[in-house]
Amino acid sequence: MTGTSFDVLVVGAGAAGMMAAIEAGRRGRRVLVVDHADRPGEKIRISGGGRCNFTNLGCGPANFLGENPRFATSALRRYTQHDFVKRIDLAGIAWHEKALGQLFCDDSAKQIVRMLTDDMAAAGVTLKMKTGVDRVARDGMGFTAALSDGSQATAASLVVATGGKSIPKMGATGWAYEVARQFDIRVTETRPALVPLTFEAGLLEALTPLAGVAVEATVASAPSEKTRRASFNEAMLFTHRGLSGPAILQISSYWREGEAIVAAMAPGQDVFAALKAAKAANGRQAVHTALSHIVPRRLAETLCVREGASGNLADLSDKVLRRLDQAVNGWSVKPVGSEGYRTAEVTLGGVDTAALDQQTMQAKTVPGLYFIGEAVDVTGWLGGYNFQWAWSSGWAAGQVC
């Protein structure tokens, strides 16, 4: 078996891995990056509809989950969203801001991948694609990795940047967790996050007419032992399997099996008062017609059927109108699951942050071993936060590995 010696071996050519490799290479370190995929930065390339929501102007520790969400504070403050924007600007990549501070490329996410690969080349980083790691061992000199092409690489530092389990069709695996356990580092419970939620068959049948209907909604989770209560005001989409849209993807990170979520589908509106006013103005108006001025017509019709509210407004009591108000802005529903890692944008949980140094991302008990990006138990909201964690954690490791 042929072997090559490096200062740093980075496993994973995604956002975090390439960032760490660039920073280490700029320090004069001899760096090898390996990845089993065909091309580097595949998750960057497909994100944001091909334009990559590469960070968020409002990014801060409060936008992250984990057993210790404050762990992310150091890296996020030392390498901020504004630092990455400067990097984008220097590369001549045009960008724009969408809602809620989300930043996207004007043109293509491929520009960011090209920026990173160009920076790696300029820093003298060696990149080997279509190359996995079969085994890793630690010795007195650092780490030895048996690669899938039959070669061997040794390095003083090993940086694990292989992400989580989300989007397995892109080759995602739990390899980072296997490495952590190999070195007796705890891995917290993992689960799909930023993922659509699903309903049981009976409820799905009742809501079939709503597939494709979207509303601006405020969706809240129930507080649990493992997560704090959260609420998001964004779009919600009814699907043939349950619910999706940004508000649902956000709340999925906080939701747990057996719990309900509560949706206000006309947030900020007093539905009862609006229906009373419509009744006073024209009592002969059909109730579903009046309600369709507040929510989409198909939703209005479905809610009226569900609440037994039929006929004209003049025929309905205040009690019925209040039921409709509650149905619109206090809809409590209990999903039975999610669409899983197949469609999840990220993995919640991962390598226990208690085992890592928050300044360097190095394992406290294994000198030279680093975990960065999605592999770590730090999960951001939808909207560019997870990419910023990749940039920040990769940068932090790259300063010292």
Side-chain angles (χ1 to χ4, degrees):
M1 180 182 287
T2 58
T4 312
S5 180
F6 292 86
D7 297 316
V8 183
L9 171 61
V10 179
V11 185
M18 288 193 283
M19 193 72 171
I22 292 164
E23 293 301 311
R26 287 176 174 176
R27 292 171 41 237
R29 303 283 277 169
R30 291 172 299 122
V31 183
L32 170 65
V33 178
V34 299
D35 196 303
H36 61 74
D38 293 339
R39 296 178 292 182
E42 284 293 84
K43 205 165 184 181
I44 299 172
R45 184 181 60 81
I46 70 166
S47 69
R51 292 192 173 182
C52 188
N53 179 191
F54 56 84
T55 193
N56 194 294
L57 290 178
C59 187
N63 306 116
F64 292 84
L65 297 82
E67 286 193 357
N68 178 19
R70 296 180 64 185
F71 174 86
T73 302
S74 176
L76 291 171
R77 287 183 177 170
R78 289 163 58 223
Y79 191 84
T80 71
Q81 58 270 37
H82 308 293
D83 292 319
F84 192 75
V85 169
K86 289 177 184 175
R87 204 165 190 143
I88 292 287
D89 289 340
L90 284 172
I93 300 173
W95 54 272
H96 59 277
E97 180 183 352
K98 285 192 176 180
L100 305 174
Q102 302 170 26
L103 302 190
F104 290 79
C105 298
D106 283 357
D107 185 11
S108 169
K110 293 178 182 178
Q111 293 177 292
I112 294 182
V113 177
R114 192 177 308 117
M115 176 191 76
L116 295 168
T117 54
D118 286 350
D119 284 352
M120 283 197 297
V125 173
T126 300
L127 175 64
K128 290 184 70 170
M129 301 304 298
K130 301 181 182 178
T131 306
V133 178
D134 293 335
R135 294 182 309 282
V136 170
R138 187 164 184 253
D139 54 39
M141 301 299 292
F143 300 86
T144 300
L147 305 182
S148 61
D149 63 1
S151 67
Q152 182 174 282
T154 61
S157 297
L158 173 63
V159 180
V160 180
T162 53
K165 300 177 182 178
S166 55
I167 319 182
K169 69 180 180 181
M170 292 182 59
T173 69
W175 189 80
Y177 313 142
E178 295 173 15
V179 174
R181 293 185 181 108
Q182 176 184 339
F183 291 101
D184 296 321
I185 295 171
R186 176 176 173 257
V187 176
T188 69
E189 177 191 1
T190 58
R191 56 185 292 119
L194 301 184
V195 63
L197 299 177
T198 57
F199 293 154
E200 51 87 14
L203 180 57
L204 274 182
E205 184 178 355
L207 298 179
T208 294
L210 296 181
V213 171
V215 294
E216 285 295 318
T218 298
V219 182
S221 66
S224 72
E225 292 181 0
K226 295 187 177 181
T227 60
R228 64 185 187 272
R229 185 182 184 278
S231 176
F232 295 93
N233 189 0
E234 297 187 61
M236 183 179 82
L237 173 69
F238 290 87
T239 73
H240 66 286
R241 300 189 66 184
L243 292 173
S244 188
I248 296 301
L249 299 187
Q250 296 277 37
I251 215 66
S252 71
S253 297
Y254 295 84
W255 173 80
R256 295 294 181 271
E257 287 78 0
E259 297 175 355
I261 59 173
V262 180
M265 295 177 283
Q269 296 191 54
D270 187 332
V271 176
F272 172 72
L275 292 177
K276 283 281 284 184
K279 180 179 179 179
N282 179 11
R284 291 179 296 176
Q285 183 178 192
V287 60
H288 67 264
T289 299
L291 192 57
S292 70
H293 294 301
I294 301 171
V295 297
R297 187 173 186 86
R298 275 193 284 161
L299 178 56
E301 291 171 347
T302 300
L303 292 177
C304 286
V305 169
R306 195 182 79 193
E307 298 303 324
S310 60
N312 298 333
L313 286 170
D315 302 324
L316 300 179
S317 66
D318 283 2
K319 182 178 179 180
V320 173
L321 298 185
R322 289 192 185 280
R323 283 211 313 267
L324 286 174
D325 181 294
Q326 180 67 16
V328 171
N329 276 338
W331 182 39
S332 179
V333 62
K334 190 177 290 186
V336 294
S338 77
E339 292 193 6
Y341 289 113
R342 180 181 63 86
T343 59
E345 296 201 15
V346 293
T347 301
L348 187 69
V351 177
D352 187 2
T353 56
L356 305 179
D357 184 295
Q358 64 179 346
Q359 295 277 332
T360 65
M361 308 303 296
Q362 183 173 207
K364 293 177 180 177
T365 57
V366 189
L369 179 61
Y370 300 79
F371 292 90
I372 58 177
E374 190 184 343
V376 180
D377 180 23
V378 174
T379 304
W381 290 0
L382 182 73
Y385 300 99
N386 288 293
F387 271 123
Q388 185 57 47
W389 170 243
W391 313 133
S392 297
S393 60
W395 181 91
Q399 306 308 302
V400 294
C401 65

